Amino acid sequence: MKKLYFILVLWGVKFGNILCKLFHKAGTMISGKVAVKFQKDFVKYFTNIDYDKVIFVTGTNGKSTTTNLLYHTIKTSGKKVATNTEGANMMSGIATTLIKNSNIFGKFNKEFLILEVDERSLRNIFKVLPAKNLCISNLQKDQVQRNGDPDFIYQMFKNAISKDVTLFVNNEEPRSRSLEDYAGKSIYYSMEKNSKTFEKNGFYDVTMPCPKCNHKIEYEYYNIENIGKFKCTNCNYKSVKKANVTIKEIDYENHTFKCGKDTYKVNYINPFYIYNYALVISVCKKYNIEYNDIQKGFETFKNPADRREVYNYHGKIVHYLRIKQENPETMQNALDTIARDKRKKAIYIGLYEVKDFPPAYANTFYFFDCDFKKCVSKQVEKYVCFSKTVAFDTANRMIYAGADEKKIKVYDVEDDFNKIFSDLDNLKTDNIYIITGMKPYKKIKAYLKKGDSNE
Amino acid sequence: MNNTVNVAWMYPDILNLHGERANAKAFELISKKMKVKLNIDRIDDIDEKVDFDKYDILLFNPGELRVINALSNILYNQKDQLNKYIKDGKIIFITGTTGALFAKNIQRLDGEVFNGLNILDMDAKERNMVIGDDLYYTFNKMDIMASQIQMIDITLNNVKPFANIKYGYGNNGTSVEGARYKNVIFTNALGPVLVKNPWFTEYLIKLACKNKKMKLKTNKISYDLERKSLASAKEFIDKKLNEK
């Protein structure tokens, strides 16, 4: 009876999709939403799905990039793959993907199903779509207004993972790796020490509690903030010596690295991407996808979710770095990018109040999870802090990091970019960095495009 | 060191949810402005026996609830020394979920109940939905502005609240905020509360100086940037209230 009802719902939404296409209306994306509204466990009734070839990708940062890269690489190798690249990563988005990739009887028509899955939806999605593979990019602080603390999400993951699942986890990320205790099999991916590896031994540097025994975790070195070779100061928990896949000999200038005997040439290269490549290689290995095919995927990959843009504004090179607000890792990544540029520069930071969920609030605490000190140097001509509500807090964060107060300018205005960028033409440096969250992105982009000589 | 305020930064790697390392840094910066000698020690090892007599301020930042359970068991073994420290009028400053460590009972979502140190006569209950909002209250004629990520609801039994709320959720959605017993101060104000509200940091340092009869130089400090930040946040809250 339920199966019959499923077919009726499926026909209804597929017919709706045809009508949308006929009348050129955007609506195909909501078909999953409608289907799930009519039948809560709608996803469960699709057939011809090989669960061993269903791969979930979740985690705090890098879900979309990893999913896109994995999809692109496996597809490039000649396999038939379905994915939710549009980023619709909750139950309705996954239903939409299955509707699009099935016939009128709900028979799935691809070999692989690669899905980005929202952390909070993971458990419910596993219940109706028992994937045999789970990739976790990392588990960090994120959207605290919704997720509270990382343990809140950890408990959800723990309850979602079963012994039927093969877990692909970062050998250098203590929290997500410890989920190995709940999976049937764990595949570890890793990155060796390289030219962007760093150490932290400052008085105010902090790490995290061991997810197994609550004592202090120590890092021998970091490849990314909070990710690096670690060990617990109390129990035996540590990065394994020999991971299943290890990236080595990374050449950031020439965009190459080695994995085993193979040398890969890639489009995008930074430590975040390296971990993504490592994860994708470990998944491809499971399905015997060969080096040449993986390499082909990597070299032709274009990331639609890249958060960096470069403009030529009035003759100045403007690097626009977007971050996810309330997410220290994406912010730290932006700060690290700026810190690596040793030339003279000016830095504009627009951190706004957080409006992800009601009520909006003026959260500024994630600023202090990040290391701003790396960006403070004599090479910085000016620090400009802008936004209506938290511009003064941003300026104070710069002062706490040791920035020269005389170089700091605060604009507590809402989206008045003529004012915010009023001094830009007068700066001696031609090297400008802008960091903001998503909120002002479209407006700033439009503003910079107006003055872009290449447009 | 009688002419120095000694701060123990308790378990910085374990209790570290929302950038609260900034609170330790604020003690350093504000004390310099006040021309008060202040020393901060990190207590990194949770198994280390703490010499509480050495300190004037214990700083406990927020931690995950599973960690609170472990810490409660460990610190229980030093409860007599901790009680003496409190009786001597010394300061313990606690923020966020770590309030549960000093509470009587803590009830987790999965039904598990564990005991806190029972220093503040209050109970904590884990929430199934997180509440995140601004938190604005007054204490001792001071405006305190911060954010709040509420993972637990707090019910006060026989302990006084720390402050009255002007805006925000506080302990449990009523107008009550935090708790205070002698100089054990618990607040739900998270993140760099001592950076955003340096007048409050100054209050804590002055209180520690008073406890150890240290003489203070009169020194009026300008907190221009922080005052402007406070004004912006108040404006933002007013706007939210008007939109309701």
Side-chain angles (χ1 to χ4, degrees), chain B residues 166-167 234 236-244:
Chain B
K166 285 197 162 183
Y167 176 89
K234 277 182 179 175
F236 178 63
I237 286 173
D238 284 344
K239 205 173 141 194
K240 279 200 283 187
L241 290 171
N242 289 334
E243 280 169 4
K244 268 189 182 175

Side-chain angles (χ1 to χ4, degrees), chain A residues 395-422:
Chain A
N396 208 11
R397 180 67 189 97
M398 298 308 308
I399 291 167
Y400 265 73
D404 181 351
E405 288 186 44
K406 288 176 207 146
K407 287 186 178 180
I408 299 174
K409 178 84 186 164
V410 180
Y411 291 108
D412 59 328
V413 290
E414 182 88 30
D415 298 345
D416 183 351
F417 301 115
N418 282 326
K419 195 170 181 182
I420 293 163
F421 296 120
S422 57

Side-chain angles (χ1 to χ4, degrees), chain A residues 126-340:
Chain A
F126 257 123
K127 279 183 189 165
V128 289
L129 192 63
K132 293 277 175 74
N133 306 284
L134 175 64
C135 305
I136 303 180
S137 53
N138 49 61
L139 182 43
Q140 314 271 10
K141 294 176 200 178
D142 184 35
Q143 292 186 315
V144 289
Q145 201 183 13
R146 178 176 179 245
N147 296 337
D149 59 45
D151 191 53
F152 194 66
I153 297 298
Y154 186 93
Q155 296 305 323
M156 289 180 177
F157 279 10
K158 186 179 129 183
N159 292 328
I161 297 168
S162 72
K163 293 288 177 193
D164 289 335
V165 170
T166 297
L167 195 62
F168 295 82
V169 272
N170 189 325
N171 183 41
E172 280 99 50
E173 203 280 278
R175 197 177 278 110
S176 57
R177 218 208 76 191
S178 71
L179 288 160
E180 65 195 358
D181 293 349
Y182 310 100
K185 188 182 174 188
S186 293
I187 306 283
Y188 307 126
Y189 60 92
S190 178
M191 184 200 311
E192 274 189 356
K193 225 173 171 177
N194 58 79
S195 60
K196 289 190 177 170
T197 296
F198 58 96
E199 289 175 21
K200 290 204 301 185
N201 299 306
F203 182 78
Y204 290 103
D205 289 328
V206 292
T207 64
M208 61 172 286
C210 171
K212 301 204 182 195
C213 78
N214 298 315
H215 286 66
K216 177 180 174 163
I217 289 283
E218 268 179 4
Y219 289 87
E220 191 180 311
Y221 58 81
Y222 295 85
N223 287 324
I224 303 174
E225 205 67 27
N226 299 322
I227 301 178
K229 191 177 177 188
F230 72 87
K231 67 168 188 203
C232 173
T233 51
N234 179 59
C235 68
N236 255 340
Y237 184 47
K238 58 186 173 189
S239 299
V240 296
K241 270 190 181 165
K242 203 170 167 13
N244 301 77
V245 164
T246 301
I247 304 283
K248 54 190 180 179
E249 295 176 40
I250 303 161
D251 183 341
Y252 289 102
E253 257 181 40
N254 293 308
H255 284 226
T256 59
F257 60 80
K258 277 188 99 168
C259 183
K261 288 175 187 164
D262 303 321
T263 301
Y264 291 86
K265 173 102 179 146
V266 291
N267 258 340
Y268 303 91
I269 194 157
N270 67 30
F272 268 104
Y273 272 106
I274 297 288
Y275 275 125
N276 293 337
Y277 294 126
L279 173 51
V280 171
I281 292 170
S282 34
V283 175
C284 287
K285 270 191 161 186
K286 175 175 173 175
Y287 300 104
N288 300 318
I289 296 170
E290 293 191 356
Y291 161 70
N292 286 337
D293 289 329
I294 302 172
Q295 169 56 39
K296 205 169 146 195
F298 286 179
E299 72 187 17
T300 54
F301 177 63
K302 291 264 184 288
N303 186 7
D306 200 38
R307 291 200 178 99
R308 297 168 191 211
E309 288 167 32
V310 179
Y311 297 89
N312 188 332
Y313 181 86
H314 293 184
K316 294 187 189 289
I317 303 299
V318 178
H319 309 263
Y320 185 12
L321 313 171
R322 276 173 297 142
I323 61 161
K324 277 162 82 183
Q325 289 237 157
E326 282 199 301
N327 181 304
E329 266 63 38
T330 59
M331 182 157 186
Q332 189 64 61
N333 194 26
L335 295 171
D336 288 348
T337 302
I338 298 173
R340 281 195 287 267

